[in-house]
mmCIF file of all heavy atoms in Angstrom:
data_model
loop_
_atom_site.group_PDB
_atom_site.id
_atom_site.type_symbol
_atom_site.label_atom_id
_atom_site.label_comp_id
_atom_site.label_asym_id
_atom_site.label_seq_id
_atom_site.Cartn_x
_atom_site.Cartn_y
_atom_site.Cartn_z
ATOM 1 N N ILE Q 150 58.766 -6.981 -65.652
ATOM 2 C CA ILE Q 150 58.133 -6.433 -64.503
ATOM 3 C C ILE Q 150 58.906 -6.836 -63.175
ATOM 4 O O ILE Q 150 59.151 -5.939 -62.328
ATOM 5 C CB ILE Q 150 56.634 -6.842 -64.288
ATOM 6 C CG1 ILE Q 150 55.813 -6.328 -65.428
ATOM 7 C CG2 ILE Q 150 56.144 -6.501 -62.963
ATOM 8 C CD1 ILE Q 150 54.403 -6.988 -65.518
ATOM 9 N N ILE Q 151 59.313 -7.992 -63.085
ATOM 10 C CA ILE Q 151 60.115 -8.480 -61.939
ATOM 11 C C ILE Q 151 61.440 -7.730 -61.823
ATOM 12 O O ILE Q 151 61.869 -7.351 -60.747
ATOM 13 C CB ILE Q 151 60.334 -9.980 -61.964
ATOM 14 C CG1 ILE Q 151 58.995 -10.701 -61.808
ATOM 15 C CG2 ILE Q 151 61.261 -10.453 -60.883
ATOM 16 C CD1 ILE Q 151 59.024 -12.193 -62.086
ATOM 17 N N LEU Q 152 62.053 -7.414 -62.951
ATOM 18 C CA LEU Q 152 63.314 -6.593 -63.004
ATOM 19 C C LEU Q 152 63.019 -5.214 -62.472
ATOM 20 O O LEU Q 152 63.683 -4.728 -61.588
ATOM 21 C CB LEU Q 152 63.804 -6.556 -64.439
ATOM 22 C CG LEU Q 152 65.015 -5.608 -64.675
ATOM 23 C CD1 LEU Q 152 66.220 -6.011 -63.803
ATOM 24 C CD2 LEU Q 152 65.383 -5.611 -66.145
ATOM 25 N N GLY Q 153 61.908 -4.534 -62.976
ATOM 26 C CA GLY Q 153 61.511 -3.336 -62.404
ATOM 27 C C GLY Q 153 61.157 -3.302 -60.935
ATOM 28 O O GLY Q 153 61.487 -2.376 -60.208
ATOM 29 N N LEU Q 154 60.458 -4.290 -60.497
ATOM 30 C CA LEU Q 154 60.173 -4.473 -59.020
ATOM 31 C C LEU Q 154 61.436 -4.614 -58.264
ATOM 32 O O LEU Q 154 61.574 -4.049 -57.168
ATOM 33 C CB LEU Q 154 59.305 -5.764 -58.874
ATOM 34 C CG LEU Q 154 58.885 -6.140 -57.440
ATOM 35 C CD1 LEU Q 154 58.187 -4.981 -56.706
ATOM 36 C CD2 LEU Q 154 58.070 -7.366 -57.393
ATOM 37 N N SER Q 155 62.429 -5.323 -58.743
ATOM 38 C CA SER Q 155 63.757 -5.420 -58.016
ATOM 39 C C SER Q 155 64.312 -3.920 -57.766
ATOM 40 O O SER Q 155 64.818 -3.675 -56.679
ATOM 41 C CB SER Q 155 64.731 -6.224 -58.839
ATOM 42 O OG SER Q 155 64.270 -7.495 -58.987
ATOM 43 N N GLN Q 156 64.348 -3.150 -58.862
ATOM 44 C CA GLN Q 156 64.881 -1.843 -58.715
ATOM 45 C C GLN Q 156 64.019 -1.040 -57.738
ATOM 46 O O GLN Q 156 64.550 -0.375 -56.805
ATOM 47 C CB GLN Q 156 64.827 -1.108 -60.124
ATOM 48 C CG GLN Q 156 65.283 0.299 -60.040
ATOM 49 C CD GLN Q 156 64.871 1.183 -61.141
ATOM 50 O OE1 GLN Q 156 64.195 0.764 -62.070
ATOM 51 N NE2 GLN Q 156 65.295 2.419 -61.128
ATOM 52 N N LYS Q 157 62.709 -1.119 -57.815
ATOM 53 C CA LYS Q 157 61.802 -0.261 -57.018
ATOM 54 C C LYS Q 157 61.802 -0.735 -55.572
ATOM 55 O O LYS Q 157 61.670 0.028 -54.571
ATOM 56 C CB LYS Q 157 60.434 -0.227 -57.494
ATOM 57 C CG LYS Q 157 60.200 0.408 -58.859
ATOM 58 C CD LYS Q 157 60.942 1.748 -59.010
ATOM 59 C CE LYS Q 157 60.793 2.693 -57.927
ATOM 60 N NZ LYS Q 157 61.720 3.839 -58.015
ATOM 61 N N THR Q 158 61.951 -2.051 -55.291
ATOM 62 C CA THR Q 158 62.128 -2.550 -53.833
ATOM 63 C C THR Q 158 63.279 -1.822 -53.203
ATOM 64 O O THR Q 158 63.200 -1.393 -52.103
ATOM 65 C CB THR Q 158 62.118 -4.056 -53.833
ATOM 66 O OG1 THR Q 158 61.003 -4.602 -54.460
ATOM 67 C CG2 THR Q 158 62.325 -4.536 -52.443
ATOM 68 N N ILE Q 159 64.450 -1.737 -53.866
ATOM 69 C CA ILE Q 159 65.621 -1.123 -53.372
ATOM 70 C C ILE Q 159 65.262 0.240 -52.965
ATOM 71 O O ILE Q 159 65.479 0.766 -51.910
ATOM 72 C CB ILE Q 159 66.851 -1.172 -54.255
ATOM 73 C CG1 ILE Q 159 67.383 -2.666 -54.420
ATOM 74 C CG2 ILE Q 159 67.913 -0.236 -53.850
ATOM 75 C CD1 ILE Q 159 68.338 -2.903 -55.479
ATOM 76 N N SER Q 160 64.664 1.071 -53.995
ATOM 77 C CA SER Q 160 64.497 2.444 -53.688
ATOM 78 C C SER Q 160 63.391 2.718 -52.674
ATOM 79 O O SER Q 160 63.559 3.505 -51.802
ATOM 80 C CB SER Q 160 64.237 3.243 -55.006
ATOM 81 O OG SER Q 160 63.065 2.751 -55.662
ATOM 82 N N ASN Q 161 62.267 2.079 -52.863
ATOM 83 C CA ASN Q 161 61.078 2.261 -51.929
ATOM 84 C C ASN Q 161 61.448 1.982 -50.574
ATOM 85 O O ASN Q 161 61.222 2.760 -49.646
ATOM 86 C CB ASN Q 161 59.922 1.533 -52.400
ATOM 87 C CG ASN Q 161 59.304 1.910 -53.814
ATOM 88 O OD1 ASN Q 161 58.507 1.155 -54.313
ATOM 89 N ND2 ASN Q 161 59.656 3.060 -54.317
ATOM 90 N N TYR Q 162 62.021 0.800 -50.357
ATOM 91 C CA TYR Q 162 62.335 0.384 -48.982
ATOM 92 C C TYR Q 162 63.408 1.308 -48.412
ATOM 93 O O TYR Q 162 63.371 1.673 -47.210
ATOM 94 C CB TYR Q 162 62.857 -1.010 -48.921
ATOM 95 C CG TYR Q 162 61.730 -2.113 -49.098
ATOM 96 C CD1 TYR Q 162 60.529 -1.783 -49.701
ATOM 97 C CD2 TYR Q 162 61.905 -3.381 -48.795
ATOM 98 C CE1 TYR Q 162 59.524 -2.731 -49.904
ATOM 99 C CE2 TYR Q 162 61.012 -4.425 -49.024
ATOM 100 C CZ TYR Q 162 59.814 -4.083 -49.521
ATOM 101 O OH TYR Q 162 58.811 -4.973 -49.739
#
Side-chain angles (χ1 to χ4, degrees):
I150 292 170
I151 295 168
L152 175 61
L154 177 57
S155 300
Q156 177 199 0
K157 295 315 311 170
T158 300
I159 291 171
S160 61
N161 295 167
Y162 288 17

